[in-house]
Amino acid sequence: MTPKGPRPNDRAPAPSRGEDDEPDLLATVRDTLATGEPLDLLVEVSTLVAAVDPRSRSPVREASPEVPSLADLVGSFAGVDRVETTALLAGVAVLAPDEALRGRARRQVADRAHQLPDWLLRLGRAQPGRTMAATHVLGDGETIMVEVTLPGTGDLAARTVSAVVYVDHNLGTVAKDAVVVPGLLDELVATMQAHDDAPGDTTWADLDPAAARARLTEAIDTGALVVPPLESETWPASRPLVEWAARLLPEGGAGYRRPDGDDPAQAGLTEAFLASPQASHLGDPDHRELAESMLWFATDHGPGDPLRWSPTAVEILLTDWLPRKIAGEEAFLAKAPEVLRALISYAHAERGVRAELTAETLQAVDQVEPDYQEAIRSPRPQGPTALLAAMGALDPEGTGGLGAGLEGLVEPGQVVLEVLRGAVGGEEALGALDDRALPDEAFAWEGVDPDIAPAVSEVLAACDRCCDEALDVEYRTACRRFLARAARGDPAAFHRRGHTDTAAAVCWTVGKANDLFTPEGDAMAVSDLLGHFGVSQASVAQRATTLLRAAGVPGQGSSSPDDLALGDPGLLVAGQRRRFVALRDRYGEG
């Protein structure tokens, strides 16, 4: 539909006459339009859209009844026929997250006769320009840059804006911060490089536009799942602007890809490290298993490169991941810092990292080690308790009360029930949860590719033997169900030689989901379970990640502390569901 009324080219709008009780928003928009700077208005609209985006609300904070939805705002703007609301609608018409709202806003603008800048009326014709990525040698994150040219005539630089987005790999490859600035991307990059104290540590390169869109979309979507939500002075206020810039780019690109645990390039890495001069003093089996665990961490977290270590990665590994993920005796875990120092030295030598950065990373081990040694000698929550503790939802004594960090912000039930919903597959599944024992059930071959049937049969037999000898019928049924789900989901996960570690991974995963290895569950030692297969915890955990992805379990490859959210009550034994039912009933009433 053609907009009604005169449309002067790039002319500032005639402002509406203000009133004493005029809303602050309209006054701000009027002043912003008067500047004639497109980015001023775009930032204002982006901030407004982000403020009412449900993704910006923390699930551990009570939602304010005063916060409207974006649809409500569009409706209120439609009911006020002023140039300021028309300008807001024109911005929403491109920045709203869904097409339905964008179309509704476009129709409202088309039906009005207000004079708006030509660039604003034709904002839907904006064109993407150059896309680039800047990556640091240690791989903590990546900066993605997208140039956008606004419609209109005149100086190109004056009509160009550049979105700069920082993607943090250590937090799970998430969009953590962003800013949108005026000007050409070439000029911005030149300024950033001029202020880089160590230019040799950062690589600047053009990025395929489709890949830029895929990476930005993936990082934004994953970042929206982080609890509490990531916030800065400009994030998530700039998120609608960044998503708009990404939508201008072509589809079909490849997002972030982490190496699979079965990747041939990863095979032999432990042996290569242990055979290196840096590891000449590491000789006992504990060193090997710890090295495997660290390489698993580096592959599945951070940048996905097991030979890139930064001070931040060291801190995450020692203060959180190893104490929480790896079950073992104190004497075993205490050796980790020694192994890590050798691994850092080896990895940096392989990647050609300069000596100063290696020294900083090794110093981080020294700084964190005292806290690590204390942590492994202290009781540590796992399973659902670990997730609640990580969110600050439990009291320091772990008695199930509300943590001080959330005091007054949320009812305990909000947090606890959110964890339980993730564990069993949603609100309806949680409401229907019972503690009846799983039946003795045969393996379901329906939907399994015949080409992988021999491999699956071998894994199934090994799982059954372990459950018969060390567990029970319920665990056997749960393992069979999980195995069938993974086999149907991705047959390629079974195209490999040797299936012992796959069987171990099935039993380990189901055990973790049921708190088998914690005091809250049956308190079985991980080493006792894996002893049936003769594999290490690190190798089986890597294999488990592949199976979880094959089974379609969400959130794999992130640094989320939730180890139990398989999202299927049919994979939980009666004892675990009984614990969940008790939590549901206790907190649900509140």
Side-chain angles (χ1 to χ4, degrees), residues 53 116 140 162 175 239 268 318 367 449 474 521 551 581 586:
D53 190 331
L116 294 179
D140 283 328
S162 296
R239 182 167 57 197
L318 293 181
Q367 293 172 341
D449 189 337
E474 279 198 271
V581 167
R586 174 183 176 185

Side-chain angles (χ1 to χ4, degrees), residues 165-177 218-226 230 256 558:
V165 186
Y166 181 67
V167 177
D168 192 314
H169 290 312
N170 289 316
L171 290 179
T173 306
V174 300
K176 182 180 180 181
D177 202 0
E218 177 183 333
I220 291 172
D221 290 345
T222 305
L225 303 176
V226 174
L230 299 169
Y256 292 100
S558 75

Side-chain angles (χ1 to χ4, degrees), residues 77-348:
F77 296 157
V80 180
D81 191 9
R82 293 180 53 162
V83 66
E84 295 89 352
T85 57
T86 304
L88 288 170
L89 287 167
V92 170
V94 295
L95 299 189
D98 65 90
E99 177 56 35
L101 275 178
R102 294 197 294 269
R104 180 180 173 189
R106 283 195 300 269
R107 290 189 293 273
Q108 288 292 332
V109 174
D111 288 338
R112 296 187 178 190
H114 295 124
Q115 296 180 349
L116 294 179
D118 185 59
W119 71 264
L120 181 54
L121 290 171
R122 298 196 294 133
L123 192 55
R125 301 180 185 178
Q127 293 296 317
R130 191 178 183 186
T131 52
M132 292 187 66
T135 55
H136 191 268
V137 66
L138 295 186
D140 283 328
E142 175 181 50
T143 300
I144 298 177
M145 295 155 280
V146 180
E147 183 182 83
V148 176
T149 301
L150 304 180
T153 58
D155 182 60
L156 180 63
R159 294 186 290 108
T160 303
V161 298
S162 296
V164 183
V165 186
Y166 181 67
V167 177
D168 192 314
H169 290 312
N170 289 316
L171 290 179
T173 306
V174 300
K176 182 180 180 181
D177 202 0
V179 64
V180 182
V181 296
L184 298 170
L185 185 55
D186 287 345
E187 297 173 355
L188 174 63
V189 169
T191 300
M192 295 171 69
Q193 291 176 332
H195 289 83
D196 191 345
D197 295 332
D201 294 338
T202 301
T203 300
W204 304 77
D206 286 316
L207 179 63
D208 174 68
R213 174 172 180 160
R215 292 185 188 184
L216 286 172
T217 301
E218 177 183 333
I220 291 172
D221 290 345
T222 305
L225 303 176
V226 174
V227 177
L230 299 169
E231 295 180 352
S232 72
E233 291 184 0
T234 56
W235 188 265
S238 57
R239 182 167 57 197
L241 262 175
V242 172
E243 291 182 314
W244 166 62
R247 286 195 297 270
L248 297 176
L249 300 173
E251 296 181 300
Y256 292 100
R257 291 178 178 174
R258 295 184 179 276
D260 189 276
D262 300 326
D263 190 334
Q266 304 301 313
L269 194 54
T270 302
E271 285 70 21
F273 161 57
L274 292 175
S276 70
Q278 293 88 346
S280 60
H281 61 295
L282 304 178
D284 69 47
D286 288 351
H287 292 149
R288 169 179 290 275
E289 184 163 348
L290 285 166
E292 289 178 346
S293 295
M294 292 173 189
L295 291 170
W296 163 35
F297 163 81
T299 301
D300 210 46
H301 297 73
D305 184 344
L307 297 182
R308 294 194 188 277
W309 289 90
S310 70
T312 302
V314 165
E315 182 177 0
I316 293 172
L317 176 75
L318 293 181
T319 63
D320 172 53
W321 195 86
L322 269 177
R324 175 173 53 82
K325 276 280 192 180
I326 304 302
E329 299 293 331
E330 294 175 10
F332 166 73
L333 292 172
K335 301 175 183 179
E338 180 186 18
V339 177
L340 181 57
R341 290 185 182 94
L343 180 57
I344 290 169
S345 299
Y346 167 76
H348 282 203

Side-chain angles (χ1 to χ4, degrees), residues 363-519:
Q363 185 180 17
V365 180
D366 297 338
Q367 293 172 341
V368 174
E369 182 172 7
D371 290 338
Y372 169 76
Q373 296 291 357
E374 180 180 355
I376 63 173
R377 290 166 172 79
S378 305
R380 303 187 298 279
Q382 295 185 5
T385 309
L387 180 55
L388 295 173
M391 296 171 68
L394 297 181
D395 63 278
E397 287 74 29
T399 58
L402 189 61
L406 297 180
E407 196 76 49
L409 294 178
V410 62
E411 291 295 326
Q414 286 183 264
V415 183
V416 176
L417 294 177
E418 187 65 26
V419 174
L420 297 180
R421 292 185 193 104
V424 302
E427 180 71 37
E428 184 177 347
L430 181 59
L433 199 65
D434 59 49
D435 62 352
R436 290 195 298 268
L438 295 179
D440 184 358
E441 183 177 282
F443 182 79
W445 285 99
E446 294 81 7
V448 176
D449 189 337
D451 290 342
I452 63 170
V456 174
S457 294
E458 185 176 335
V459 173
L460 175 61
C463 288
D464 283 355
R465 282 194 300 271
C466 177
C467 291
D468 290 342
E469 295 173 8
L471 298 169
D472 57 27
V473 170
E474 279 198 271
Y475 271 101
R476 187 175 67 190
T477 293
C479 288
R480 289 174 174 178
R481 289 176 174 179
F482 179 68
L483 174 60
R485 182 169 159 182
R488 289 192 297 266
D490 184 9
F494 296 85
H495 290 164
R496 63 197 302 275
R497 292 182 178 180
H499 304 294
T500 301
D501 58 344
T502 301
V506 171
C507 295
W508 181 82
T509 299
V510 172
K512 290 282 284 184
N514 284 280
D515 284 333
L516 176 63
F517 312 117
T518 72

Side-chain angles (χ1 to χ4, degrees), residues 23-40:
D24 291 341
L25 175 61
L26 298 188
T28 299
V29 172
R30 186 172 64 251
D31 294 342
T32 301
L33 285 170
T35 69
E37 296 293 335
L39 190 54
D40 290 346

